Amino acid sequence: MLIFKEIAPLQKELQRLNAQGLSIGFIPTMGALHNGHLSLVNIAATHCNVTICSIFVNPTQFNDKDDLERYPRTPEHDIMLLQQAKCDILFMPGVEDMYANVTIPSFELGYLNQILEAAHRPGHFDGVAQVVYRFFDIIKPTKAFFGSKDYQQVMVVRRMTQLAGFSTEIIACPIIREKSGLAMSSRNSLLSEAEKAEAEKISAYLSEALNGLDTTSIEQQLEITTAQLLNIHHSRLDYLVFANPDTLEPITHWQANQPVMVLVAVFIGKIRLIDNMVKHPRG
Ligand code: AMP
């Protein structure tokens, strides 16, 4: 695996690869890698000739200074995992390389920048759109791979890509979970054993919530699932919503022939976790 910390030598290598007509699959991450990230590298390798992963804890997408400071950083372990996953290139830029002396457009994200994550983390998606724009501008990937755990983020990235006129194809990949059902996240490493045991209840409640819709109204099901989530020790709920997976508009009356998803953001102690599940119509 080639490791680049600076833009110019990376671009020289990318030029060499482009000249050979090779397709480039890009996986942006903030490091503290786990199997969720590695699944994206594996999927990218089935789509593209060359895989390039970035590790960059992007300060502009954190609206909470403590969250940024406490974000886990494990670069050596990450490098080992990416080597094992046969990633071809790792790009680890510094904040200066990404943001000094460059002008990055701002993007009109509309409704996506008002709801759910955006409502609870003001400025977060402006930072995400900005950093992904910068990476796409440097790398010009053929395809880029994102996890559906950050479902709204994938929609934001698609919108930014369209507005900016990049030709990069955005591929949404499945959520990788632990055996317990807990969605893998770099933030899980910040949970104590006891908190982790509590966090493991989240996915079971989401799955029950979707099943419950067969017999229970959305309104009642929201009450039931909210009560379950609030019963988790040291939990605090940011949001719990049933929504249309295509638009993220809330669903208030569900019909069995409609796709529906449930999205949640919940604090366990100081650690904020997100998760979601989709239910497709039968038949
Ligand atoms: P992060 O390092 O948290 O910014 O995540 C980098 C990429 O990995 C994003 O596209 C995430 O959606 C994706 N990702 C994180 N956790 C998972 C997971 N459990 N399953 C699949 N993809 C994930």
Side-chain angles (χ1 to χ4, degrees):
M1 183 171 70
L2 296 173
I3 302 179
F4 295 95
K5 295 196 170 166
E6 281 162 18
I7 295 171
L10 168 71
Q11 285 187 320
K12 203 165 163 221
E13 174 64 10
L14 289 169
Q15 263 172 15
R16 197 181 69 78
L17 298 167
N18 283 325
Q20 296 174 52
L22 300 175
S23 57
I24 309 288
F26 174 48
I27 310 102
T29 83
M30 298 204 297
L33 300 183
H34 50 67
N35 282 339
H37 298 114
L38 300 178
S39 76
L40 302 185
V41 176
N42 291 332
I43 293 171
T46 68
H47 281 252
C48 295
N49 303 120
V50 178
T51 52
I52 166 163
C53 183
S54 64
I55 295 181
F56 179 62
V57 183
N58 174 33
T60 72
Q61 71 187 69
F62 285 80
N63 55 328
D64 174 348
K65 207 168 132 272
D66 290 345
D67 188 26
L68 173 60
E69 271 166 22
R70 104 163 71 86
Y71 200 84
R73 289 163 172 86
T74 57
E76 262 137 53
H77 189 239
D78 292 347
I79 291 171
M80 192 193 77
L81 291 176
L82 288 172
Q83 267 161 345
Q84 282 172 1
K86 301 201 164 42
C87 180
D88 297 303
I89 299 175
L90 169 58
F91 179 38
M92 305 173 83
V95 176
E96 288 275 296
D97 302 298
M98 292 296 280
Y99 293 127
N101 307 318
V102 287
T103 315
I104 300 178
S106 55
F107 297 97
E108 184 43 71
L109 301 171
Y111 177 68
L112 285 176
N113 212 9
Q114 293 161 19
I115 54 162
L116 304 173
E117 286 300 287
H120 291 272
R121 303 183 67 190
H124 169 64
F125 285 130
D126 297 309
V128 168
Q130 195 180 38
V131 76
V132 178
Y133 173 91
R134 181 75 177 118
F135 274 124
F136 282 13
D137 201 35
I138 295 168
I139 297 171
K140 307 266 181 338
T142 319
K143 299 187 185 189
F145 298 81
F146 293 84
S148 299
K149 182 169 85 72
D150 300 276
Y151 195 93
Q152 192 176 357
Q153 170 171 280
V154 181
M155 292 178 73
V156 164
V157 169
R158 283 192 204 282
R159 181 155 173 83
M160 180 284 293
T161 304
Q162 198 184 25
L163 291 171
F166 287 118
S167 62
T168 303
E169 186 185 342
I170 309 303
I171 311 285
C173 304
I175 302 177
I176 303 300
R177 299 179 179 280
E178 304 205 357
K179 272 206 193 89
S180 64
L182 178 64
M184 290 193 183
S185 165
S186 304
R187 288 193 164 87
N188 292 351
S189 67
L190 301 173
L191 297 168
S192 68
E193 282 297 307
E195 286 171 333
K196 193 165 177 214
E198 293 297 308
E200 287 174 351
K201 297 174 181 168
I202 299 168
S203 64
Y205 293 153
L206 294 190
S207 156
E208 277 177 41
L210 287 181
N211 288 334
L213 293 186
D214 292 334
T215 51
T216 313
S217 70
I218 291 259
E219 198 182 344
Q220 273 179 319
Q221 192 57 54
L222 277 176
E223 274 180 33
I224 295 169
T225 310
T226 300
Q228 287 176 321
L229 290 166
L230 291 178
N231 236 340
I232 294 179
H233 285 301
H234 307 294
S235 72
R236 181 158 66 80
L237 193 57
D238 258 0
Y239 59 80
L240 171 71
V241 182
F242 288 105
N244 177 329
D246 296 325
T247 60
L248 283 184
E249 276 162 4
I251 292 182
T252 47
H253 296 282
W254 179 70
Q255 281 158 358
N257 61 356
Q258 255 187 306
V260 57
M261 70 184 299
V262 60
L263 302 105
V264 71
V266 59
F267 279 90
I268 307 292
K270 285 189 172 157
I271 309 307
R272 186 174 183 278
L273 301 175
I274 59 172
D275 197 355
N276 68 78
M277 280 183 200
V278 182
K279 180 180 174 98
H280 295 286
R282 288 211 192 93

